[in-house]
Amino acid sequence: MKKTAFALAALGLIASTAAQAQSSVTIYGLIDTGVTYMSNVKKAGVNENGSRFGVDSGTASSSRIGFRGTEDLGGGLKAIFVLENGFNGDNGGMNSAGVIFDRKSVVGLSGSFGTVTVGRQADYLDDIGSKYTSAQTFGSNGQKGAHANNIDRTSTGRNDNSVRFDTANLSGFTGSLYYAFGEVAGQTSAGQGFGIGGNYANGPFGIGAAYFQTKLSAAQTTPPAAAGDTNLKTFTIGSSYQFGPAKLYGAWSQGKRPTAANQATRLSSVGAARKANIFDIGVDYTLNQNLHLLGSVIHSRMDFNRAANSTFSGKGKTTQFNLGVDYFLSKRTDVYAMWSNLRAQDVVNPGVINNAADFGAYDDSTQNVLRVGLRHKF
């Protein structure tokens, strides 16, 4: 009897160990918090600018915590899931009120064919941005304004109810297809989105491109536009090359909003642009194993819709200069100091950090931003 009980216990332990070997759940995350100085930030309630000092979260990388899991289904097939929440390291609050896993919430299958995921997620423009724009060095939250309020989605654009397919690596090439359901009865096009992209990497060289298009939902509609009308068409092409210790990168984006409204004020918001062309070039120079010197320039040219009798300019532009130093205390922890100078002409200065107007000027005054922060990955 004792031998039988011992044998059953041993078999149970072996089965448990095998199950654990076939599946896993990983908790991961990142906390990025620092001190920020900004010049020419709009004062609350008045049309004036003032300087701002503060402790901010995610000025280089958005703070987050996530859960990633896999289960081996056999034959090279795996079930996968990712649940990722964005939070504020400076006050502990969630990035999105009422949404727990605002950054990502997907389940899917992965195998030799590639990966299919379903849920809330970004399209391939996010991948292109992280490879070939200033997002990789100065953070996606430090370039949204300069990218016409992220019209090109290279600082991450997410959709609910989406399906994404990514190919396996085919001799250096990877491709992606993306579709987001509008979920409107009787009007399939309302609120839908779709994208396509690809990237080729070979040693020190990389090149990639992606396209995304979305249509208006009923909640987004302002006459004369209607639900189902195309709201955004945007693409980005980028490339990089590693010249010894220096990685050079560059990208060109173009975004169009066919339903953009006429602008009545002299200085328009960059987010109201009918069309934007964005040029982003930079360098990441590895001075030694721990120290990186960073630099980039982002230039955007925008067109706005105006009434036929308007005397205001229908064009505007912004230019952002970035310099930084990033010192790695370990593989997972680094400290950084970054300076950005954002200039605007014939548009309201959107501000360097976060979305346009979060910390922008009330007019076209030049803004300087200094960020000193600590970032830890786990």
Side-chain angles (χ1 to χ4, degrees):
M1 185 68 179
K2 290 183 179 179
K3 291 182 178 180
T4 302
F6 178 79
L8 289 173
L11 287 172
L13 179 62
I14 292 171
S16 174
T17 303
Q20 291 178 6
Q22 292 173 352
S23 62
S24 66
V25 176
T26 302
I27 300 175
Y28 68 93
L30 181 152
I31 303 177
D32 177 2
T33 306
V35 176
T36 308
Y37 163 78
M38 307 176 188
S39 70
N40 290 323
V41 178
K42 185 183 185 302
K43 296 180 181 179
V46 295
N47 290 332
E48 296 179 5
N49 294 322
S51 298
R52 175 189 179 274
F53 287 92
V55 174
D56 295 309
S57 174
T59 58
S61 300
S62 297
S63 298
R64 79 222 37 184
I65 185 168
F67 306 87
R68 182 186 297 114
T70 64
E71 181 188 10
D72 190 344
L73 302 176
L77 187 66
K78 293 182 179 179
I80 60 174
F81 77 87
V82 179
L83 300 171
E84 187 171 299
N85 164 263
F87 67 92
N88 300 316
D90 54 341
N91 60 26
M94 292 197 302
N95 276 354
S96 304
V99 183
I100 298 177
F101 299 112
D102 58 333
R103 292 182 57 84
K104 197 169 189 177
S105 174
V106 297
V107 65
L109 295 172
S110 178
S112 59
F113 60 89
T115 302
V116 176
T117 49
V118 183
R120 175 175 171 80
Q121 57 195 321
D123 65 283
Y124 204 73
L125 279 165
D126 182 49
D127 298 62
I128 297 298
S130 66
K131 290 179 172 69
Y132 305 122
T133 75
S134 296
Q136 65 184 295
T137 46
F138 292 93
S140 59
N141 285 336
Q143 73 166 30
K144 288 181 180 178
H147 277 243
N149 202 26
N150 196 32
I151 192 173
D152 57 1
R153 294 172 66 96
T154 56
S155 297
T156 305
R158 302 180 178 89
N159 293 82
D160 299 334
N161 314 309
S162 63
V163 180
R164 174 168 165 166
F165 168 68
D166 292 275
T167 70
N169 191 310
L170 306 172
S171 301
F173 174 80
T174 52
S176 179
L177 296 173
Y178 184 90
Y179 182 80
F181 292 84
E183 298 189 336
V184 177
Q187 194 171 9
T188 303
S189 63
Q192 73 174 188
F194 50 89
I196 186 172
N199 187 73
Y200 176 74
N202 185 357
F205 174 72
I207 187 170
Y211 173 85
F212 179 82
Q213 179 174 316
T214 186
K215 298 181 181 295
L216 289 171
S217 66
Q220 297 172 311
T221 302
T222 301
D229 288 350
T230 299
N231 179 43
L232 172 67
K233 296 189 290 185
T234 186
F235 72 85
T236 299
I237 181 170
S239 184
S240 68
Y241 196 91
Q242 187 77 42
F243 291 94
K247 178 184 178 181
L248 301 180
Y249 60 85
W252 167 48
S253 302
Q254 185 180 95
K256 295 180 179 180
R257 293 194 181 277
T259 58
N262 285 345
Q263 299 300 298
T265 58
R266 182 179 71 86
L267 298 178
S268 301
S269 165
V270 296
R274 171 179 56 84
K275 177 182 177 181
N277 282 286
I278 303 156
F279 307 90
D280 188 330
I281 59 172
V283 60
D284 180 350
Y285 187 90
T286 304
L287 196 62
N288 58 47
Q289 183 177 357
N290 303 98
L291 185 60
H292 289 241
L293 303 180
L294 314 172
S296 75
V297 179
I298 307 169
H299 180 70
S300 299
R301 292 181 174 269
M302 292 151 282
D303 295 335
F304 298 90
N305 287 334
R306 297 286 192 184
N309 59 349
S310 176
T311 59
F312 299 140
S313 173
K315 297 182 180 297
K317 60 184 179 181
T318 62
T319 304
Q320 181 170 313
F321 301 94
N322 302 302
L323 292 174
V325 57
D326 195 0
Y327 185 80
F328 287 82
L329 301 171
S330 69
K331 290 183 178 180
R332 296 186 297 158
T333 303
D334 63 308
V335 292
Y336 59 83
M338 299 175 180
W339 168 80
S340 297
N341 173 276
L342 179 56
R343 307 174 184 186
Q345 181 177 325
D346 294 324
V347 292
V348 175
N349 192 318
V352 172
I353 303 298
N354 291 341
N355 297 311
D358 281 358
F359 299 108
Y362 94 92
D363 56 8
D364 55 356
S365 297
T366 297
Q367 185 179 86
N368 287 285
V369 172
L370 179 62
R371 298 174 271 169
V372 179
L374 173 66
R375 177 169 45 191
H376 175 72
K377 302 172 184 177
F378 59 90

